[in-house]
mmCIF file of all heavy atoms in Angstrom:
data_model
loop_
_atom_site.group_PDB
_atom_site.id
_atom_site.type_symbol
_atom_site.label_atom_id
_atom_site.label_comp_id
_atom_site.label_asym_id
_atom_site.label_seq_id
_atom_site.Cartn_x
_atom_site.Cartn_y
_atom_site.Cartn_z
ATOM 1 N N GLY B 99 -8.599 1.923 -11.751
ATOM 2 C CA GLY B 99 -8.415 3.095 -12.530
ATOM 3 C C GLY B 99 -7.557 4.150 -11.819
ATOM 4 O O GLY B 99 -7.145 3.930 -10.764
ATOM 5 N N PRO B 100 -7.266 5.249 -12.504
ATOM 6 C CA PRO B 100 -6.461 6.278 -11.840
ATOM 7 C C PRO B 100 -6.969 6.732 -10.560
ATOM 8 O O PRO B 100 -8.142 7.152 -10.484
ATOM 9 C CB PRO B 100 -6.481 7.379 -12.898
ATOM 10 C CG PRO B 100 -6.778 6.693 -14.210
ATOM 11 C CD PRO B 100 -7.669 5.470 -13.933
ATOM 12 N N PRO B 101 -6.247 6.612 -9.554
ATOM 13 C CA PRO B 101 -6.691 7.054 -8.253
ATOM 14 C C PRO B 101 -6.943 8.486 -8.037
ATOM 15 O O PRO B 101 -5.824 9.255 -8.196
ATOM 16 C CB PRO B 101 -5.805 6.390 -7.229
ATOM 17 C CG PRO B 101 -4.500 6.354 -8.032
ATOM 18 C CD PRO B 101 -4.832 6.292 -9.514
ATOM 19 N N THR B 102 -7.949 9.054 -7.715
ATOM 20 C CA THR B 102 -8.081 10.551 -7.519
ATOM 21 C C THR B 102 -8.910 10.587 -6.112
ATOM 22 O O THR B 102 -9.565 9.677 -5.826
ATOM 23 C CB THR B 102 -8.822 11.283 -8.525
ATOM 24 O OG1 THR B 102 -10.061 10.653 -8.785
ATOM 25 C CG2 THR B 102 -7.980 11.220 -9.770
ATOM 26 N N LYS B 103 -8.828 11.759 -5.511
ATOM 27 C CA LYS B 103 -9.478 11.836 -4.216
ATOM 28 C C LYS B 103 -11.046 11.509 -4.387
ATOM 29 O O LYS B 103 -11.697 11.974 -5.172
ATOM 30 C CB LYS B 103 -9.477 13.248 -3.783
ATOM 31 C CG LYS B 103 -10.007 13.623 -2.357
ATOM 32 C CD LYS B 103 -9.737 15.022 -1.839
ATOM 33 C CE LYS B 103 -10.228 15.172 -0.475
ATOM 34 N NZ LYS B 103 -10.058 16.552 0.015
ATOM 35 N N GLY B 104 -11.361 10.564 -3.527
ATOM 36 C CA GLY B 104 -12.761 10.190 -3.485
ATOM 37 C C GLY B 104 -13.180 9.095 -4.493
ATOM 38 O O GLY B 104 -14.404 8.618 -4.563
ATOM 39 N N LYS B 105 -12.287 8.760 -5.453
ATOM 40 C CA LYS B 105 -12.557 7.808 -6.390
ATOM 41 C C LYS B 105 -11.536 6.856 -6.715
ATOM 42 O O LYS B 105 -10.268 7.315 -6.775
ATOM 43 C CB LYS B 105 -12.977 8.643 -7.721
ATOM 44 C CG LYS B 105 -13.567 7.806 -8.908
ATOM 45 C CD LYS B 105 -13.851 8.657 -10.017
ATOM 46 C CE LYS B 105 -14.332 7.784 -11.198
ATOM 47 N NZ LYS B 105 -14.522 8.540 -12.450
ATOM 48 N N ASN B 106 -11.794 5.624 -6.739
ATOM 49 C CA ASN B 106 -10.733 4.649 -7.116
ATOM 50 C C ASN B 106 -9.638 4.508 -6.084
ATOM 51 O O ASN B 106 -8.571 3.886 -6.383
ATOM 52 C CB ASN B 106 -10.205 4.772 -8.524
ATOM 53 C CG ASN B 106 -11.171 4.582 -9.560
ATOM 54 O OD1 ASN B 106 -12.348 4.135 -9.314
ATOM 55 N ND2 ASN B 106 -10.897 5.037 -10.831
ATOM 56 N N ILE B 107 -9.831 5.045 -4.951
ATOM 57 C CA ILE B 107 -8.912 4.977 -3.844
ATOM 58 C C ILE B 107 -8.879 3.616 -3.291
ATOM 59 O O ILE B 107 -9.997 3.100 -2.978
ATOM 60 C CB ILE B 107 -9.089 6.074 -2.758
ATOM 61 C CG1 ILE B 107 -8.926 7.486 -3.341
ATOM 62 C CG2 ILE B 107 -8.055 5.894 -1.634
ATOM 63 C CD1 ILE B 107 -7.653 7.806 -4.007
ATOM 64 N N GLN B 108 -7.705 2.895 -2.990
ATOM 65 C CA GLN B 108 -7.800 1.695 -2.427
ATOM 66 C C GLN B 108 -7.734 1.868 -0.882
ATOM 67 O O GLN B 108 -6.954 2.621 -0.296
ATOM 68 C CB GLN B 108 -6.366 0.969 -2.785
ATOM 69 C CG GLN B 108 -6.347 0.646 -4.284
ATOM 70 C CD GLN B 108 -5.144 -0.199 -4.642
ATOM 71 O OE1 GLN B 108 -4.634 -0.928 -3.865
ATOM 72 N NE2 GLN B 108 -4.677 0.075 -5.924
ATOM 73 N N TYR B 109 -8.642 1.075 -0.280
ATOM 74 C CA TYR B 109 -8.833 1.117 1.108
ATOM 75 C C TYR B 109 -8.390 -0.261 1.687
ATOM 76 O O TYR B 109 -8.832 -1.355 1.101
ATOM 77 C CB TYR B 109 -10.344 1.377 1.507
ATOM 78 C CG TYR B 109 -10.844 2.659 1.126
ATOM 79 C CD1 TYR B 109 -11.445 2.917 -0.076
ATOM 80 C CD2 TYR B 109 -10.713 3.783 1.971
ATOM 81 C CE1 TYR B 109 -11.807 4.175 -0.437
ATOM 82 C CE2 TYR B 109 -11.050 4.951 1.643
ATOM 83 C CZ TYR B 109 -11.604 5.205 0.360
ATOM 84 O OH TYR B 109 -12.093 6.471 -0.031
ATOM 85 N N PHE B 110 -7.547 -0.173 2.591
ATOM 86 C CA PHE B 110 -6.927 -1.369 3.039
ATOM 87 C C PHE B 110 -7.523 -2.158 4.343
ATOM 88 O O PHE B 110 -7.995 -1.346 5.199
ATOM 89 C CB PHE B 110 -5.385 -1.190 3.433
ATOM 90 C CG PHE B 110 -4.511 -1.005 2.171
ATOM 91 C CD1 PHE B 110 -4.527 0.147 1.479
ATOM 92 C CD2 PHE B 110 -3.743 -2.172 1.819
ATOM 93 C CE1 PHE B 110 -3.696 0.236 0.384
ATOM 94 C CE2 PHE B 110 -3.027 -2.036 0.695
ATOM 95 C CZ PHE B 110 -2.986 -0.875 -0.028
ATOM 96 N N GLY B 111 -7.461 -3.396 4.490
ATOM 97 C CA GLY B 111 -7.700 -4.009 5.665
ATOM 98 C C GLY B 111 -6.597 -4.036 6.565
ATOM 99 O O GLY B 111 -5.546 -3.508 6.212
ATOM 100 N N ALA B 112 -6.672 -4.639 7.842
ATOM 101 C CA ALA B 112 -5.607 -4.497 8.753
ATOM 102 C C ALA B 112 -4.491 -5.603 8.585
ATOM 103 O O ALA B 112 -3.421 -5.531 9.129
ATOM 104 C CB ALA B 112 -6.159 -4.765 10.229
ATOM 105 N N GLY B 113 -4.779 -6.440 7.639
ATOM 106 C CA GLY B 113 -3.796 -7.494 7.291
ATOM 107 C C GLY B 113 -3.888 -8.813 8.018
ATOM 108 O O GLY B 113 -4.500 -8.946 9.165
ATOM 109 N N THR B 114 -3.257 -9.751 7.541
ATOM 110 C CA THR B 114 -2.955 -11.078 8.223
ATOM 111 C C THR B 114 -1.525 -11.362 8.338
ATOM 112 O O THR B 114 -0.770 -11.236 7.413
ATOM 113 C CB THR B 114 -3.609 -12.244 7.343
ATOM 114 O OG1 THR B 114 -4.969 -12.163 7.402
ATOM 115 C CG2 THR B 114 -3.162 -13.620 8.135
ATOM 116 N N ARG B 115 -1.069 -11.382 9.580
ATOM 117 C CA ARG B 115 0.379 -11.649 9.833
ATOM 118 C C ARG B 115 0.662 -13.121 9.789
ATOM 119 O O ARG B 115 0.124 -13.870 10.604
ATOM 120 C CB ARG B 115 0.870 -11.043 11.139
ATOM 121 C CG ARG B 115 2.274 -11.244 11.443
ATOM 122 C CD ARG B 115 2.777 -10.596 12.782
ATOM 123 N NE ARG B 115 2.522 -9.117 12.615
ATOM 124 C CZ ARG B 115 3.435 -8.251 12.098
ATOM 125 N NH1 ARG B 115 4.545 -8.811 11.607
ATOM 126 N NH2 ARG B 115 3.246 -7.043 12.088
ATOM 127 N N LEU B 116 1.331 -13.531 8.823
ATOM 128 C CA LEU B 116 1.609 -15.025 8.563
ATOM 129 C C LEU B 116 2.990 -15.302 9.071
ATOM 130 O O LEU B 116 3.994 -14.629 8.621
ATOM 131 C CB LEU B 116 1.446 -15.380 7.136
ATOM 132 C CG LEU B 116 1.908 -16.868 6.805
ATOM 133 C CD1 LEU B 116 0.902 -17.790 7.405
ATOM 134 C CD2 LEU B 116 1.859 -17.002 5.197
ATOM 135 N N SER B 117 3.232 -16.253 9.903
ATOM 136 C CA SER B 117 4.540 -16.644 10.450
ATOM 137 C C SER B 117 4.706 -18.139 10.071
ATOM 138 O O SER B 117 3.818 -18.989 10.470
ATOM 139 C CB SER B 117 4.643 -16.563 11.912
ATOM 140 O OG SER B 117 4.435 -15.100 12.274
ATOM 141 N N VAL B 118 5.735 -18.517 9.222
ATOM 142 C CA VAL B 118 5.918 -19.788 8.877
ATOM 143 C C VAL B 118 7.134 -20.340 9.579
ATOM 144 O O VAL B 118 8.216 -19.770 9.442
ATOM 145 C CB VAL B 118 6.173 -19.993 7.392
ATOM 146 C CG1 VAL B 118 6.444 -21.429 6.997
ATOM 147 C CG2 VAL B 118 5.052 -19.428 6.576
#
Side-chain angles (χ1 to χ4, degrees):
Chain B
T102 57
K103 185 175 181 179
K105 186 177 178 183
N106 298 346
I107 298 299
Q108 293 183 32
Y109 295 90
F110 284 82
T114 295
R115 180 174 298 277
L116 175 66
S117 300
V118 182

